């Protein structure tokens, strides 16, 4: 029933929105706010119907939904309860104009939702010049970041001293601060983190082929080498006679929190159990939205003994939080 009403409401709202706005302009009236944006009309109308107890009591036709809109004061006064253009006396050109405006507004809102603020400017992942952005990150990183030794781990406070937190978070994963965030935005934040680590490694290991060390899928457009996102890490480097697997976790802020995905948990666990000269670490990159304020912290393998007492599992998933000594 709710599924059928959802489909009916979506079709009715999509057909009605440009007609309502066109009719209102033609008659010099202000339409109810619910019709301002098509993207919000369906959700708001559904909320109103739910509040009235009407959404799940029976299956409604489009014509019946129009009567409900009127009853809930979501329909312009004196406007016929119809989505027939001829019956409403609305010119096709005006309907098309309103439909085009609705599409433009929807595209603008989607662009804003997926874009990331970087150094005071909004960057759209679908149109940004990534090579130019890489140069911007490289030139903007502070000396403190570029000079940070690879083998220096973050100085973390004991988890027992951390304040209790709610379920929120940031720095990657499906929940927390990223809940409801478009995937394109999450991907861009992650890529900014990887770019930061890439340029840091180039500064710290000038004699190494860092391009070959960047093995995630994000690397291809910068290095020309095909990578994989199923390895459980983003960089593989030779350091201190060991092989280091580096998983990057990034945030536009500094929540001191990150999440591990399935492949990352598997790789971290395998390395923790291994007796070979391997090490798995997390490169936590904070404040990627402001290059000069960006920081890198190297954190121990979350599934290894070095994480005991300093990385805390937060909530009911593999989500960790931590705190630095000040």
């Amino acid at each position: 029933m709710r599924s059928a009403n959802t489909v009916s409401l979506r079709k009715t709202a999509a057909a009605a929105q440009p007609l309502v706005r066109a009719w209102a302009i033609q008659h010099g009236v202000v339409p109810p706010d619910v019709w301002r944006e098509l993207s919000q009309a369906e959700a708001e109308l559904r909320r109103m119907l739910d509040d009235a107890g009407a959404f799940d009591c029976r299956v409604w036709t489009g014509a019946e939904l129009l009567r409900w809109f009127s009853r809930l004061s979501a329909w312009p006064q004196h406007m016929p309860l119809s989505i027939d253009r001829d019956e409403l006396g609305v010119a096709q050109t005006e309907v098309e104009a309103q439909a085009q405006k609705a599409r433009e507004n929807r595209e603008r809102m989607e662009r804003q939702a997926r874009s990331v603020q970087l150094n005071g400017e909004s960057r759209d992942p679908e149109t940004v010049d990534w090579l130019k952005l890489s140069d911007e990150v490289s030139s903007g990183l502070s000396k403190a970041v570029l000079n940070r030794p690879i083998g220096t781990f973050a100085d973390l406070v004991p988890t027992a001293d951390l304040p209790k937190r709610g379920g929120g978070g940031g720095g990657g994963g499906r929940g927390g601060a990223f809940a409801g965030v478009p995937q394109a935005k999450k991907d861009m934040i992650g890529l900014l983190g990887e770019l930061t680590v890439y340029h840091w490694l180039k500064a710290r290991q000038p004699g190494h082929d860092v391009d070959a060390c960047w093995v995630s899928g994000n690397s291809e457009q910068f290095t020309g080498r095909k990578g994989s996102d199923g390895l459980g890490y983003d960089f593989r480097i030779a350091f201190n006679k060991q092989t280091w697997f580096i998983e990057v976790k990034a945030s536009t802020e500094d929540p001191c929190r990150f999440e591990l995905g399935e492949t990352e948990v598997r790789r971290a666990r395998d390395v923790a159990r291994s007796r070979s000269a391997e090490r798995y670490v997390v490169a936590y990159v904070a404040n990627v939205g402001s290059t000069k304020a960006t920081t890198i912290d190297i954190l121990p393998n979350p599934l290894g003994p070095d994480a005991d007492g300093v990385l805390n599992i937060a909530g009911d998933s593999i989500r960790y939080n931590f705190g630095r000594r000040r």
Side-chain angles (χ1 to χ4, degrees), residues 116-123 132-133 135-141 192 287-294:
V116 175
Q117 287 291 321
L118 176 63
N119 298 329
E121 296 181 20
S122 180
R123 314 297 178 96
K132 184 178 179 180
L133 187 144
D135 291 339
E136 181 179 344
V137 170
S138 176
S139 62
L141 290 173
L192 286 170
N287 301 312
V288 294
S290 176
T291 308
K292 292 187 181 302
T294 297

Side-chain angles (χ1 to χ4, degrees), residues 184-248:
K185 184 168 190 170
K186 295 189 233 182
D187 292 343
M188 185 173 188
I189 292 171
L191 181 46
L192 286 170
E194 290 185 39
L195 274 175
T196 299
V197 172
Y198 171 67
H199 291 297
W200 169 61
L201 289 175
K202 290 184 73 173
R204 301 312 305 156
Q205 295 189 311
H208 290 70
D209 185 0
V210 177
D211 283 8
C213 297
W214 193 359
V215 294
S216 76
N218 283 329
S219 64
E220 185 172 1
Q221 59 185 313
F222 303 98
T223 67
R225 303 167 187 259
K226 191 170 184 62
S228 171
D229 289 327
L231 299 173
Y233 56 91
D234 300 309
F235 293 85
R236 182 180 60 243
I237 67 170
F239 177 74
N240 198 24
K241 298 182 180 180
Q242 293 178 314
T243 297
W244 277 39
F245 302 101
I246 303 175
E247 171 60 26
V248 179

